[in-house]
Amino acid sequence: MGPSGVTATGPGSWPGSDPAEAARIIRGELGDPHLPFLVELPQRGIGADPVGRTAGLLVELPVDLQPHGWRLVDRPGMDHRRAVSLLSRDINALADVIGEEEDPGRRLAISLQGPLSLAAGLHLHNGERALSDAGARREIAESLAAGAAAFVNRVKEIARGAAIVVQLDEPHLDRILGGQIPTASGYRTLRSVPAQEASLVWTMVREALAAAGASDVVLRLPTAGHGQPKSGLDLALGAGTDGVALPLRGLGDRDWEGIAEAVEAGKQVWLGVLPLPAAGAEPRQVTALVEDITRPWTRIGLPLRDLPALHITPDGPLAELAPASARRVLARLTQAASALDQLAAEG
């Protein structure tokens, strides 16, 4: 379900600890045609971090927290229950906020760790990363597919008809494919995960999400992966995802060629265009943001009328900012989206 204009959204994280207050701010700034999101509040600590939050969704794979990180265990304990409880609190708070609205909007985004980065962040009983074991990787992907589908169903129940867009975050993808993830001891690195396996597990999770009623599944990558034998961008699109999320910084001509192919194939491109401002500073100005986007866009031969393929996002987690600054970032993104829409209409 493609957007009718350039859309502003955020990667999920937000400062503070009050999910209802955060939801009101986010939905106030990102009303239609933009894409509001279910908030993540990592400053609450254990279980609110990206790995713990997603691990709480796993079906029949409980976790606990050890000094070295989250570990797969035989039965759920306090840490697991806390992660589950925090996510439920976020969903319930959003339900209350949506219930107060006259118009709940057309779409709502949720995010979770992708299967490969989750396996890199979880540890086996022996203390080694689950990423080191092909069987564990497969088990985690299957469990995540089931848990993510249940997550979509829970959010659909409170969304009042809004379409659910799912963002799968793979922040460690380049290092996973490049064999650069350290072992638990840190003395060596784990063998790279085959590109074909990455594509297969993403396809598995995407199909489960689509079956649960997700309208779009987007893979968030650390880079487009140019220079890799098989780039993350190519793999993500090959797995049938509806789009990819990438940081604008560092994109080279080869990356933009891949983006052009994605746009021409009808895929969404989510670009992290707005650098996080320094404390007390104003976000980058609209004219500069528009130039940052349109210069490479037109250089690679994409017409301005295709700009509505874009979702524009901050380049980094908003939880690192003060609440007022995070709000200004969303406001600046919606202003930039309007300016880009004007160019698309003229183009």
Side-chain angles (χ1 to χ4, degrees):
M1 188 171 69
S4 56
V6 180
T7 305
T9 189
S13 75
W14 194 258
S17 58
D18 184 338
E21 178 187 26
R24 288 189 185 95
I25 292 170
I26 290 162
R27 295 180 70 78
E29 296 294 341
L30 297 178
D32 272 342
H34 303 296
L35 179 57
F37 51 91
L38 174 68
V39 71
E40 301 172 8
L41 300 169
Q43 290 173 1
R44 292 178 297 182
I46 294 170
D49 61 288
V51 172
R53 182 180 175 90
T54 301
L57 294 170
L58 293 175
V59 174
E60 296 180 0
L61 286 181
V63 294
D64 70 5
L65 190 60
Q66 295 294 309
H68 55 265
W70 289 95
R71 179 185 65 169
L72 295 163
V73 291
D74 293 329
R75 59 186 62 85
M78 181 176 64
D79 300 327
H80 186 276
R81 287 193 294 271
R82 177 175 166 81
V84 171
S85 173
L86 286 172
L87 180 56
S88 292
R89 199 178 307 169
D90 295 343
I91 294 171
N92 292 338
L94 180 60
D96 291 341
V97 172
I98 291 176
E100 297 166 357
E101 296 174 342
E102 288 184 22
D103 179 4
R106 296 177 300 130
R107 297 183 300 152
L108 172 65
I110 60 177
S111 58
L112 60 157
Q113 289 274 290
L116 298 176
S117 293
L118 185 61
L122 293 176
H123 297 259
L124 303 171
H125 290 268
N126 63 9
E128 191 48 84
R129 294 181 191 272
L131 189 71
S132 65
D133 184 289
R137 295 195 301 265
R138 177 78 182 185
E139 195 173 358
I140 287 168
E142 291 172 347
S143 177
L144 179 63
F151 183 25
V152 167
N153 281 316
R154 287 176 67 190
V155 177
K156 275 172 59 181
E157 289 174 4
I158 61 106
R160 289 179 56 194
I164 308 302
V165 178
V166 182
Q167 174 184 290
L168 286 176
D169 293 338
E170 290 283 13
H172 307 301
L173 180 67
D174 292 351
R175 295 192 301 147
I176 289 169
L177 295 179
Q180 297 169 332
I181 296 289
T183 58
S185 68
Y187 291 122
R188 56 187 183 86
T189 55
L190 299 176
R191 185 176 301 168
S192 61
V193 172
Q196 183 182 12
E197 182 182 331
S199 186
L200 287 172
V201 295
W202 288 339
T203 299
M204 181 197 309
V205 176
R206 177 189 60 76
E207 288 177 347
L209 289 165
S215 67
D216 301 281
V217 179
V218 173
L219 263 166
R220 185 165 169 237
L221 311 176
T223 67
H226 71 283
Q228 297 271 3
K230 186 77 171 173
S231 78
L233 177 60
D234 292 338
L235 287 173
L237 297 174
T241 61
D242 299 289
V244 290
L246 300 162
L248 178 65
R249 59 182 160 77
L251 291 177
D253 284 348
R254 284 176 59 192
D255 301 324
W256 276 103
E257 287 167 9
I259 287 170
E261 290 173 11
V263 170
E264 288 160 2
K267 303 292 186 178
Q268 300 170 33
V269 177
W270 296 27
L271 281 183
V273 301
L274 183 53
L276 298 185
E282 278 293 308
R284 190 162 170 78
Q285 294 300 314
V286 169
T287 51
L289 288 173
V290 169
E291 176 72 9
D292 291 344
I293 295 164
T294 56
R295 189 190 310 113
W297 188 270
T298 53
R299 187 178 69 236
I300 206 68
L302 284 167
L304 293 176
R305 67 175 179 272
D306 284 348
L307 282 169
L310 281 181
H311 286 56
I312 56 174
T313 76
D315 180 12
L318 294 177
E320 296 179 5
L321 302 179
S325 185
R327 188 173 195 161
R328 284 195 296 271
V329 164
L330 294 187
R332 185 57 48 84
L333 284 170
T334 60
Q335 293 162 4
S338 295
L340 290 163
D341 273 340
Q342 284 187 315
L343 288 175
E346 294 165 2

